[in-house]
Each structure stands twice: as structure tokens, then as C-alpha cells.
Amino acid sequence: MEILMVVVVGVMFTIATYMVLTKSLLRVILGTVLYSHGAHLLILTMGGLGTGAAPLLSTEGPHSDPLPQALVLTAIVISFGVTAFLLVLAYRTYKQHKTDDLDQLRGSSDE
Amino acid sequence: MSLLHLVILAPFILAIFIPLFFKYVKQVHTGWFVLVLPTILFIYLIQLIPTVSGGEPIVESLAWVPSLGINFDVYIDGLALLFALLITGIGALVVLYSIYYLTKKGEALHNFYVYLLMFMGAMLGVVLSGNLMVIYVFWELTSLASSLLIGYWHHREKSRYGAQKSMLITVTGGFSMLASFSLLYVMTGSFNIQEIIAQAGDIATSPLFIPAMLLILLGAFTKSAQFPFHIWLPDAMEAPTPVSAYLHSATMVKAGIYLVARMSPVFAGASEWFWIVSVFGMFTLLWGSFNAVRQTDLKSILAYSTISQLGMIMSLLGLGSAAAFYNYEEVYFTATIAAVFHLINHSTFKGSLFMVAGIVDHETGTRDIRYLGGLMTFMPITFTLSIIGAFSMAGIYPFNGFLSKEMFLTGVLNTLMMTDFNMQSIGFLFVAVAWIASVFTFIYSMIIVFKTFTGKYQPEKLDKKPHEAPIGMLISPIILASLVILFGLFPNQFLSYTLIEPAVQSILPTALPAGEQFYVNIYPWHGWTPELWLTIGVIVVGTIMYLTLTKWQNIYKILRLHKKDPINYIYDGFLDKLVTGSQKITYMQMTGRLNNYLAFMSVFLIAILAYGLIEFDAFALDTSIVGDIPIYFWILAVVTVATTITMPFIQNRIAAIITIGVVGYLLALFFVFFKAPDLALTQLLVETVTTTLFLLCFYHLPELRKEKSKPRFKIANLIISLGVGIGVMIVGISSIAMKAGRPFESISEYFKENAYELAGGKNMVNVILVDFRGVDTMLEILVLAIAGLGVYSLIKLRMNDEGGRLK
């Protein structure tokens, strides 16, 4: 099961990298969202995909590992904050410069 | 802190007050305040002669950075005292000369004297210090001060070019010298020169010996303008003439000579030292004298002549090092004695010649010998001074240059007696080069005198009506010229016992048994020796060649030397290529395109991963954990992969937003399967909010267009992406396998056991978030708050177009 998960994560990273390397700002942001999805899954997978119950003491054990879940929970919230900020930044950039093409947004050589 | 430390620091201290004198005492030329100091220092140093010539060096120490072995040691032996006397003595004369040379009006005298004092202090520091690191500090200060002085008239482009050139070349040498000092420290564990000399025998076998020698010679050659590093010296002639006289003939350019002489006891036993120092010196001698003849500017002639004479002193030091090789046989001492003697002589006659050139420039408005001529009747004193200086330089009796040139020829002839170094077969080359160079020296010396002062007077080409210089300007060259004659007539009385003997003793410290002293006796006449015939030959051939100058001067055009020194093309070309080349490299990597930078990062990541995997053989696969996967899980995985892969192909923004939402919800499903209810909940919520946010923005966001990049670009991106993805997979798979092989007990057991006992909660994830690891959560809230503030300020606050005021 872990190996299958790692393959899924690998595909996510591949696609995320490809999107980040394109020229459209929106695609780049979508790529970063995919990166965080991949990273979250990877953390969970590396923590070991136990077959235990949910980490609630009210259920019968053995429980699955609660620590990676706590880490991923934190990561989800942080990446949400960053994504929101990036989106608004893209929105402002587009408003200001009337383009989302990263080639056209690039600074002149003496900057 | 002793009085001797104060000798070194006094110029720096006085330099602080110079601008005050310049600003508040306007009626007196600032130079007079400066003049006092070198005079006092000179008199003080003269008093040390009896002590030092007794054979006992004066040592004083002052802790500076004792933990690194760097102490401000003052070590005064014969060599150091000789240089210190030159620096202060000629320094005083140059300051006196500069008072009349630079006018009170219109010249930035405060700058000039601050730089000059800084240079004087630094130079005293170089020669009087006994610690390598302190020498290095002062060494760089001389480079800096010299550069500032060359660029004194900074509104002239040529001054700036000369200053930059001298700075670049001498600092390059300075750095290599620093490297050599570090190597010496590695070998001996000390920065103290005397301690290093004491270990000279052990160093000679070290593998670092040769690198240290080459690096120190690079430092000495760049400073002393040896071929091919001599090119900065002619361009340094843009400096005011007092500076040229002081720095670029008498003192700074001899710092390299000092270094070679000082380090001779460490390195002189090696044949490499002999060869490098003497061959480079000889070639510089020839090259400098050959090129001096074609110059038309008085100061350029003197610059090339300085190069040539420095080459001569350097080669003498090299030839003298044979003494160390031959167990200090006395016959080879001559070269070292000649080096020290000529060092003194050169300072006297070259200083006065520069001052003469300055006077001619000052009184006629030009230094170009094509415009000058017939000045003899207008400037009789200057003419006499130039005759004394130039004839001494040419090596004519009764001036001091004759004696040192004779000794130079003796030293060269003595090397013919060497049995090693292949001298039987190629030794004659040394003699030939020395003789030819002497002929050219004779020719340019005659050019200086006769092209300037005799011949046809051309008043129409001169800006000013020539007349004799004011007496103040003449005092310094007169003193120097009298020294030229005095040293020429009575060398032993003035120099041999007081300065030359102790200096030679410092260069060849182990040459004599302890307690004995050198006995130097310089005779103007020692019979019909071969060197006398050589000198007569120089004068005869030189005179003939001077008289037929116009007939053979075309040789410079044939050799393509008539424009500028060919080494300059290499220097300028190198500098040019350095600038354009580094610009090219910068533009190549700093494209300003985000996707380029991300691609560089990804490629670097892949390279590091690949290196790590191969180097440490880190790939591992544990097939035992493949296990049985439920069919619904397969379906979920395949759907997720398929959805993800469609992402780059979507050309429609709403479809893209929905697809990314689908991936997010699939992620939530994974969390459900992995028994992570809180995660699933959060993921669903966050994905909903994100999608909403996308949809809110989407109206304002641009329409997605088809990527219009070249296929090659796309394929490269695809390869990079695949590399990253596969890299992540390999790392994941390997670390799972590694984990299976080396099971560590997870810390989670602790959380599982204590969630209820210690924290009173049954939801372990929540207990970890708010209790066990509550700080994470607090900071995460902070992140959200900052993101919220950022979003708010991005939308609400903006600069208006005109003033940049916040709206």
C-alpha cells in the first residue's frame, strides 16, 4: 500500500513541477497547491499506513499513528494561508500589469 | 609601546591633524607642518646606526592579536635601518620639494599630505616590522596610499586608469604574499620572521616550500615592477612628480626588493630561488632599459629606467643567493653587497632625476623631449643636477653609479666561476645581458641630459618662457646630487661600515661565524680588471649608438614596440574579457524568468538526489510491504493519478479550478481511508474554502491560454518534472524499506498512552495539537493571521499613480 501511495505522490510532484515551470501565473499557483497535496500525502505515508483504528481513545485499539496526522493538519492550514495570499497576489498582479504571462512580468536587466 | 612603535605610527597620527592645518592655517603651506616629522624621524634613526652596525638588532614587541601569534614587533637590523633611513630621508626631501612644486592655491594639499604621510607610515611599518602579518597589513596600506596618490588629480582619466592598474596589480601580488605567509605559518607555526629564519633548514624539505616561495616572489615582483608586472609603473607617472620621485623610484618599488632580501635567509639555499630571482631580474633589466630608449616623455624614460634598475638589484640579490648555495664562499658576496649599494645609489640619483624632470615640467610646461632642447642656458643648475644624476645612472666615474655598476659586473662575472647551475654553458648569457642592458642604460641617460638641455631651443613649442626654478625647489635635488658625488668619492667612509655591512649581514645571516662582521671595502680602482674593460666598452658603444640614434630607432617600429608596451595589450584585454565574460555568465543564469530559476533549482535537486543515491548506495526496495491492497484503494489511487495528470492539459480556467478541487476532495478520501477523521474534515473544509476563493478570484483572473512555448522547451520541462517526481518516489520507497530494516520505536506510543492521563483528552490528534505540541498551533494561527492581513493590505492599500501615497 505504501509503495502505491508513493507512486501517487510521485505523479503529483511530477505534474506540480511541470505546472510550476510553465509561463502562466495561475498554473504556477495550481502547481504549488499540488505540491502541498503531494507533501501532505507523503508525510502521512512515511508515518506508516497502519491498519489500526482512528486515533480516538473512545474506539478500540490498536490506533493508527496520531503524530503525522497532527503534523499534516498544521501543514494543511499553513498551505491554505499561503495559497490564499498567492491568489490575491496574482489577482493584484494581473490588475496592475494586465498580464499573467511570467515572461512579460519579468523585470528589465538593470533591475 | 616603545618609541620605535611610535616611529611607525607617528605619520598616521600626524595625518589626522593635516586637514586641520590646511583649513585653519591658510597662510602657511601645509607641507611645512609635514616636513618636521620625517626630519625628526631621520635624525632619530641616524642615532640608531652605531647600535645596529654593532651587529645587535633592536627588538621591541607589542601584543596585538596574541592568540593568533600576530604581534606588532619592531625588528631593526641593518637592512631595516637602511630602508627606514631612505624612507625618512628622501621623504623629508620630497616633502620639501613638494612645498614648492604644488601651489597653495587650487591644489587639494590636505589630501596630498594625508596620503603621503599614510604612505610613509605604511612603508616604515613594512620595513621595521618583524611579524609577517603586520608586514602584510602595512604592505596593503602602501598599495592603497600609492593608488590614492597616483589618482591625486582624479579629474584626469589617465590618473584614474593608472591608479586602478597599480592597485589591481600590486594587490594581486599582496594577496599571493598573504597566501605565502600563511603557508610559512603552516610550516613553522610562527609569524615571526626571525623564528622562521631559525627554522629555515627544516622548511626546505617541506612540500609547501616551493609554493610559498613562488607566491612570495609574485608579491615581490608585482610590487617591484618586475617583468611582466612592470606595466603599472609607467602609468603611475600620472601622479604628481614628488610622488613619482618618492614612491615610484626610491621607496615603494623597493618594498619588493626588501621582501626578497628579507626572505633570502629562508629561501636562498634553493636553486629555484637563484634561477627565478636572477633570471626575472636580468630580463627586467634588459626590457626596461631597451624600452626606456624609445620613450619621448621624461618621466616615462625615468619609469622604464626605474624598472630596469630594479631588475638589476633583483638579479643581484638572486646572484648573491648563490653564496648560500656554496656554503657562503666569499666571492659570491659581491653580488649582495652590490645590490645593497646600488639600492642606496639608485634612490639618490633617481630621486634627483625625477625632481629635475619635475622642474623642467614646472618651468616649461612640457616633459616631452621632442619639444624640449637648449635649456642649458636658461637652467644651469638644473642642467648640472641632471648631468650628475644621469651620469651616475649611466655608470660613469666619479659618481656612485660607476661603483655599483662595476660591482654589478663583478658579481655577474663571478657567477661564471660557478660549477653548478649549468653556469659553464649558459653563464655567458648573464654577462651578455648585463652588458647590453648597460649600453641601453647609457643611451637613455644621455637622452635625458642632452635632448633636454642641449640642441636647438624651440620657444614656439613651449607654453611658458623657461627660467631657472626657485631655490626651494632646487634644495632637495642638490642635496641628493651631492650625496651622489659623496658616495661616489668616499663610499667607504659614508656607507660601507655604517649601512652596507649590517644590511648584508641581515641578508646573509649565517654567512659568517657568530661574532664576526662583514668587512666591505669599495674601491673605485682595482686594476685593469675585465669589468673595467666592459665599462669602457659600454661607454664607447653607448656613445656611438647615441650619436646614431635616428638611424637605428626604426627597430622599435619593426618590433612593434613603438606604441605601448605589448604586455599592456594582455592586461587591457584580460580586464576587458573579465568584465564581458562575467557579464555573459551573469546574463546566462540571471534571466529574470521565474521558470528558469525554478528549473535550475529542480535540476540541482535532482543532481543532489542522484549523487546521494549513487554515492551512498541508498536505494532499497522492500517488497514484503506491498501486501494486499483492497480494490477500492486501487480505484481511488488510479482516479487521483488520472485527475492529476489532466491538470496541465486543461485550457479552461473554471475546469482547472474544479479539477484542483477534485484532487483536494480525493485527498480527503485518502484521509478517510487512512483513519484520519480530523484530517479529512479539515481537508474538506479547506478545499471548499480554497475552491470558493479561486472562484471568487476567477472572474478577475485571466483566461488560461494554451502554452505557447517551443516543443523543445516543453520536453525539457517534462524531463525535469519526471526527474523530480521519480526522485521523490525513490526517496519514498527507499526510506520505507530502510524503516522496515531498522525499526525505531515511534514517539507516538507516548502520545497514545498519555493522551488521557496527562491531557485528559481522548482525541489524540487534538491533544497533540493543543497540548503536547501547542506552540506549533499557536504559530500556525499566527501564519493565518499574517496571511489574512497580507490579503487585506494587498486589496485595500495601493499606491496611487502620481505621488506614491497610500490610498
Side-chain angles (χ1 to χ4, degrees):
Chain A
M1 192 137 61
E2 276 92 345
I3 291 178
L4 183 60
M5 283 312 297
V6 168
V7 172
V8 173
V9 168
V11 171
M12 281 188 173
F13 269 92
T14 310
I15 299 300
T17 310
Y18 188 82
M19 307 251 305
V20 159
L21 291 177
T22 56
K23 286 176 185 167
S24 149
L25 193 55
L26 187 58
R27 279 205 178 90
V28 172
I29 295 172
L30 292 175
T32 59
V33 173
L34 261 185
Y35 264 136
S36 46
H37 285 346
H40 300 157
L41 270 187
L42 192 64
I43 296 175
L44 211 57
T45 312
M46 291 295 112
L49 298 174
T51 44
L56 300 168
L57 286 176
S58 49
T59 57
E60 279 294 310
H63 299 103
S64 58
D65 196 340
L67 187 59
Q69 296 192 9
L71 295 181
V72 171
L73 199 58
T74 311
I76 289 176
V77 176
I78 290 176
S79 63
F80 164 68
V82 174
T83 308
F85 184 76
L86 273 182
L87 265 177
V88 175
L89 195 63
Y91 157 74
R92 287 285 297 136
T93 311
Y94 184 61
K95 272 272 131 96
Q96 199 79 35
H97 298 286
K98 307 288 175 227
T99 177
D100 78 324
D101 188 316
L102 285 170
D103 268 4
Q104 287 165 24
L105 284 172
R106 121 192 141 100
S108 56
S109 63
D110 50 34
E111 263 177 333
Chain B
M1 173 89 84
S2 69
L3 205 55
L4 287 169
H5 289 106
L6 207 62
V7 167
I8 299 174
L9 295 178
F12 294 106
I13 297 167
L14 180 60
I16 297 172
F17 296 103
I18 290 301
L20 297 178
F21 289 133
F22 179 72
K23 196 165 175 209
Y24 294 111
V25 196
K26 279 200 168 44
Q27 59 278 22
V28 184
H29 194 285
T30 318
W32 292 110
F33 298 109
V34 181
L35 181 62
V36 183
L37 182 75
T39 319
I40 294 174
L41 291 182
F42 183 73
I43 294 166
Y44 175 73
L45 287 168
I46 287 258
Q47 288 178 334
L48 298 178
I49 289 181
T51 327
V52 171
S53 62
E56 272 309 300
I58 303 166
V59 184
E60 296 282 350
S61 191
L62 179 71
W64 186 15
V65 196
S67 56
L68 297 176
I70 299 171
N71 293 311
F72 189 4
D73 298 334
V74 174
Y75 180 88
I76 303 187
D77 59 356
L79 189 66
L81 189 63
L82 167 63
F83 273 90
L85 284 170
L86 284 181
I87 292 159
T88 50
I90 296 183
L93 296 176
V94 160
V95 171
L96 178 64
Y97 177 78
S98 72
I99 290 170
Y100 291 92
Y101 188 83
L102 297 169
T103 50
K104 246 190 312 184
K105 261 186 288 175
E107 293 284 1
L109 289 177
H110 51 316
N111 292 349
F112 181 80
Y113 286 111
V114 166
Y115 301 157
L116 199 71
L117 282 170
M118 188 167 126
F119 171 79
M120 192 183 287
M123 201 63 209
L124 283 172
V126 168
V127 299
L128 297 182
S129 298
N131 190 292
L132 291 180
M133 279 299 138
V134 180
I135 290 185
Y136 173 72
V137 169
F138 285 120
W139 184 277
E140 293 296 30
L141 265 177
T142 63
S143 296
L144 180 65
S146 159
S147 224
L148 288 170
L149 283 166
I150 295 168
Y152 171 66
W153 286 309
H154 51 78
H155 52 274
R156 296 185 192 168
E157 160 136 39
K158 280 177 112 178
S159 298
R160 297 199 299 271
Y161 173 78
Q164 186 202 37
K165 196 177 198 175
S166 84
M167 186 78 169
L168 285 176
I169 293 178
T170 53
V171 168
T172 305
F175 278 141
S176 95
M177 198 180 82
L178 179 65
S180 166
F181 287 172
S182 312
L183 291 181
L184 281 172
Y185 183 75
V186 169
M187 285 186 278
T188 61
S190 171
F191 281 128
N192 186 298
I193 297 179
Q194 298 312 312
E195 285 171 27
I196 291 172
I197 289 174
Q199 297 184 48
D202 305 332
I203 300 174
T205 51
S206 164
L208 296 177
F209 180 73
I210 296 292
M213 176 198 290
L214 294 178
L215 288 169
I216 213 160
L217 284 178
L218 186 61
F221 285 178
T222 49
K223 198 77 161 184
S224 278
Q226 300 293 299
F227 187 88
F229 309 109
H230 63 279
I231 47 168
W232 67 266
L233 190 60
D235 284 308
M237 291 302 125
E238 292 303 320
T241 304
V243 172
S244 309
Y246 189 37
L247 275 70
H248 307 124
S249 75
T251 53
M252 185 176 96
V253 286
K254 296 203 169 102
I257 303 277
Y258 171 78
L259 189 69
V260 169
R262 181 54 90 202
M263 287 297 166
S264 278
V266 182
F267 295 107
S271 57
E272 290 88 351
W273 180 267
F274 171 86
W275 278 118
I276 296 172
V277 178
S278 34
V279 168
F280 271 89
M282 278 290 177
F283 193 75
T284 310
L285 166 65
L286 184 63
W287 185 261
S289 60
F290 184 63
N291 276 288
V293 176
R294 75 179 162 87
Q295 305 298 327
T296 54
D297 179 55
L298 274 181
K299 273 176 91 176
S300 293
I301 303 178
L302 291 173
Y304 274 100
S305 121
T306 304
I307 294 168
S308 149
Q309 306 277 320
L310 288 169
M312 174 170 153
I313 302 172
M314 195 64 95
S315 69
L316 280 170
L317 285 175
L319 298 175
S321 75
F325 198 80
Y326 284 105
N327 268 328
Y328 299 104
E329 234 181 278
E330 215 168 311
V331 65
Y332 304 113
F333 291 172
T334 323
T336 310
I337 296 167
V340 175
F341 189 36
H342 194 69
L343 179 83
I344 303 167
N345 295 344
H346 177 249
S347 303
T348 54
F349 67 68
K350 193 52 67 67
S352 82
L353 279 176
F354 265 109
M355 290 174 186
V356 164
I359 289 170
V360 170
D361 187 16
H362 207 262
E363 305 308 330
T364 64
T366 181
R367 297 192 308 251
D368 198 318
I369 52 172
R370 286 170 300 188
Y371 304 152
L372 295 168
L375 295 178
M376 191 165 61
T377 48
F378 299 99
M379 312 164 101
I381 306 173
T382 319
F383 173 58
T384 318
L385 293 172
S386 79
I387 283 201
I388 296 170
F391 279 29
S392 174
M393 182 155 74
I396 296 170
Y397 189 78
F399 307 112
N400 57 5
F402 169 76
L403 302 175
S404 45
K405 181 134 301 176
E406 287 286 281
M407 289 170 74
F408 165 61
L409 293 171
T410 315
V412 175
L413 287 168
N414 282 353
T415 56
L416 287 178
M417 290 185 283
M418 287 187 194
T419 46
D420 291 84
F421 300 140
N422 277 336
M423 269 302 162
Q424 298 90 332
S425 48
I426 60 164
F428 74 94
L429 273 176
F430 279 92
V431 183
V433 167
W435 189 79
I436 295 170
S438 301
V439 171
F440 280 104
T441 306
F442 184 87
I443 298 170
Y444 70 68
S445 303
M446 296 307 112
I447 290 177
I448 290 175
V449 179
F450 293 112
K451 295 266 179 196
T452 313
F453 292 100
T454 62
K456 212 169 131 263
Y457 172 51
Q458 305 159 299
E460 70 281 359
K461 288 183 180 171
L462 300 178
D463 300 339
K464 301 178 183 172
K465 183 157 170 48
H467 55 81
E468 187 58 89
I471 184 67
M473 223 168 172
L474 290 167
I475 296 175
S476 300
I478 287 175
I479 294 176
L480 285 172
S482 351
L483 288 179
V484 168
I485 298 174
L486 282 179
F487 292 165
L489 293 177
F490 312 105
N492 295 321
Q493 286 84 337
F494 283 102
L495 289 177
S496 294
Y497 316 124
T498 52
L499 286 173
I500 298 180
E501 283 172 9
V504 174
Q505 174 74 38
S506 328
I507 301 172
L508 304 166
T510 48
L512 296 178
E516 274 188 50
Q517 286 197 358
F518 273 97
Y519 180 70
V520 174
N521 207 348
I522 300 164
Y523 296 104
W525 178 254
H526 28 67
W528 293 102
T529 48
E531 44 269 35
L532 187 64
W533 288 112
L534 284 177
T535 304
I536 291 169
V538 165
I539 293 172
V540 171
V541 176
T543 313
I544 294 168
M545 284 181 78
Y546 172 71
L547 293 174
T548 55
L549 198 59
T550 42
K551 296 208 174 86
W552 58 271
Q553 230 174 5
N554 278 332
I555 190 167
Y556 290 107
K557 274 193 181 142
I558 296 164
L559 291 173
R560 299 191 166 277
L561 286 174
H562 57 292
K563 274 197 191 128
K564 58 177 182 179
D565 203 312
I567 310 294
N568 276 319
Y569 292 107
I570 300 173
Y571 168 83
D572 291 335
F574 173 73
L575 218 57
D576 202 42
K577 282 276 178 306
L578 198 70
V579 173
T580 52
S582 43
Q583 264 174 351
K584 229 183 239 168
I585 292 174
T586 310
Y587 289 146
M588 218 160 64
Q589 45 167 351
M590 306 290 285
T591 53
R593 290 191 175 86
L594 180 69
N595 42 28
N596 285 146
Y597 299 146
L598 289 170
F600 295 155
M601 284 188 222
S602 307
V603 168
F604 187 70
L605 182 78
I606 296 166
I608 286 280
L609 273 180
Y611 173 77
L613 286 169
I614 293 164
E615 177 69 22
F616 301 105
D617 198 19
F619 184 71
L621 180 62
D622 186 6
T623 42
S624 66
I625 56 158
V626 174
D628 41 85
I629 301 168
I631 183 78
Y632 56 84
F633 194 81
W634 271 110
I635 295 171
L636 181 58
V638 169
V639 170
T640 311
V641 167
T643 319
T644 313
I645 287 177
T646 55
M647 289 286 300
F649 300 103
I650 297 171
Q651 308 299 343
N652 181 319
R653 56 188 168 162
I654 193 124
I657 290 166
I658 289 173
T659 316
I660 198 82
V662 168
V663 177
Y665 290 126
L666 286 170
L667 208 65
L669 259 179
F670 272 114
F671 293 151
V672 171
F673 281 125
F674 295 149
K675 307 285 174 0
D678 298 296
L679 283 189
L681 205 61
T682 317
Q683 179 65 32
L684 279 174
L685 270 174
V686 162
E687 201 50 48
T688 312
V689 176
T690 313
T691 312
T692 317
L693 203 63
F694 267 113
L695 289 173
L696 276 177
C697 270
F698 121 95
Y699 178 75
H700 302 284
L701 285 177
E703 188 58 57
L704 276 179
R705 283 159 293 107
K706 212 168 147 65
E707 279 286 306
K708 280 195 218 98
S709 15
K710 289 177 190 135
R712 211 185 61 196
F713 185 69
K714 278 187 180 168
I715 288 168
N717 281 352
L718 188 63
I719 292 170
I720 294 170
S721 318
L722 278 173
V724 172
I726 291 169
V728 170
M729 276 188 228
I730 291 175
V731 169
I733 291 170
S734 302
S735 52
I736 290 169
M738 301 266 173
K739 203 175 118 192
R742 263 178 297 171
F744 286 102
E745 174 124 17
S746 169
I747 195 176
S748 305
E749 294 309 312
Y750 172 83
F751 296 131
K752 285 179 190 169
E753 279 160 24
N754 293 310
Y756 191 69
E757 282 79 57
L758 291 181
K762 290 190 173 174
N763 183 335
M764 285 183 260
V765 175
N766 285 3
V767 165
I768 291 175
L769 281 176
V770 298
D771 193 313
F772 289 122
R773 299 181 58 87
V775 179
D776 285 2
T777 312
M778 190 181 80
L779 294 178
E780 161 200 341
I781 293 167
L782 192 65
V783 169
L784 265 193
I786 291 171
L789 277 176
V791 168
Y792 177 82
S793 46
L794 266 182
I795 291 177
K796 280 285 170 192
L797 305 177
R798 59 194 62 174
M799 304 285 180
N800 64 4
D801 291 339
E802 302 95 44
R805 231 176 66 242
L806 288 174
K807 249 198 296 210

